Amino acid sequence: MKKVIVAIVLILQGYVIQAQISDSLKVIETNQQIDNLVVQADTASLSKLYRNDFVFNHGSGRVDSKSSWLLSAAKGNFISRNHDSVKVELHNFLAIVRGKLNIQKKNKDTVDNYYLWYIRVYTKQEKNKQGIEDFTKAIQLKPDYALAYYNRGTTQMGLKEYQSAISD
């Protein structure tokens, strides 16, 4: 009897691990997509992705808000921003991403190549208005992303916005 129980637990743990790997890959993909938008100087898409309380702490000590970082990205000085050695920790509605970002940036007469180690924190909030905004942004970027529709609808149900939830 103990062997059967252990086998069932191991099988269930396998499903959990597969789900975590899938979610981690989605976070890694999103992480790179954001930096691709920075290279493209696509501040309209970035503005939709970044929350209003977005903060970017530079290694130099400078701190950018959402608006000041978007102004910086709009200059179009980035040639490339590619991730390496990315690790994701998933915690309920939080993803902590650590990695190395290789950057190529043009200045007046030169092109700088450098890298930085970073930590990014992504949140997924399902039971409030910000959660609905986050899922709407995901849908705008990828209209065929069924999970975003499901999560937005579930969030709307939790807020008793039944008509909106039905449409999702």
Side-chain angles (χ1 to χ4, degrees), residues 11 115 136 161:
I11 291 169
Y115 69 91
T136 300
E161 296 176 0

Side-chain angles (χ1 to χ4, degrees), residues 10 20 27 33 38 55 60 68 92 117 120 128 133 150 158 165:
L10 291 176
Q20 288 176 340
V27 170
Q33 286 174 347
V38 172
V55 176
S60 65
S68 63
N92 292 329
W117 293 96
R120 291 180 177 175
N128 60 33
E133 289 177 26
Y150 171 79

Side-chain angles (χ1 to χ4, degrees), residues 83-97:
H83 295 270
D84 185 16
S85 307
V86 179
K87 293 189 171 125
V88 177
E89 292 177 36
L90 296 173
H91 307 274
N92 292 329
F93 299 105
L94 183 74
I96 301 170
V97 182

Side-chain angles (χ1 to χ4, degrees), residues 5-99:
I5 293 171
V6 170
I8 292 171
V9 170
L10 291 176
I11 291 169
L12 292 176
Q13 286 178 344
Y15 287 123
V16 171
I17 289 169
Q18 272 192 329
Q20 288 176 340
I21 289 169
S22 174
D23 290 344
S24 292
L25 292 174
K26 288 176 189 172
V27 170
I28 290 169
E29 181 181 305
T30 300
N31 196 40
Q32 183 61 59
Q33 286 174 347
I34 289 170
D35 282 292
N36 292 345
L37 293 171
V38 172
V39 170
Q40 297 163 11
D42 186 349
T43 55
S45 294
L46 288 168
S47 182
K48 292 174 186 174
L49 274 173
Y50 294 146
R51 291 174 45 141
N52 290 331
D53 58 354
F54 170 88
V55 176
F56 183 174
N57 294 300
H58 295 265
S60 65
R62 192 176 101 219
V63 178
D64 271 320
S65 65
K66 176 181 175 177
S67 60
S68 63
W69 171 242
L70 289 173
L71 286 172
S72 181
K75 294 176 185 174
N77 292 334
F78 293 100
I79 298 168
S80 68
R81 294 173 60 94
N82 295 305
H83 295 270
D84 185 16
S85 307
V86 179
K87 293 189 171 125
V88 177
E89 292 177 36
L90 296 173
H91 307 274
N92 292 329
F93 299 105
L94 183 74
I96 301 170
V97 182
R98 292 178 170 88

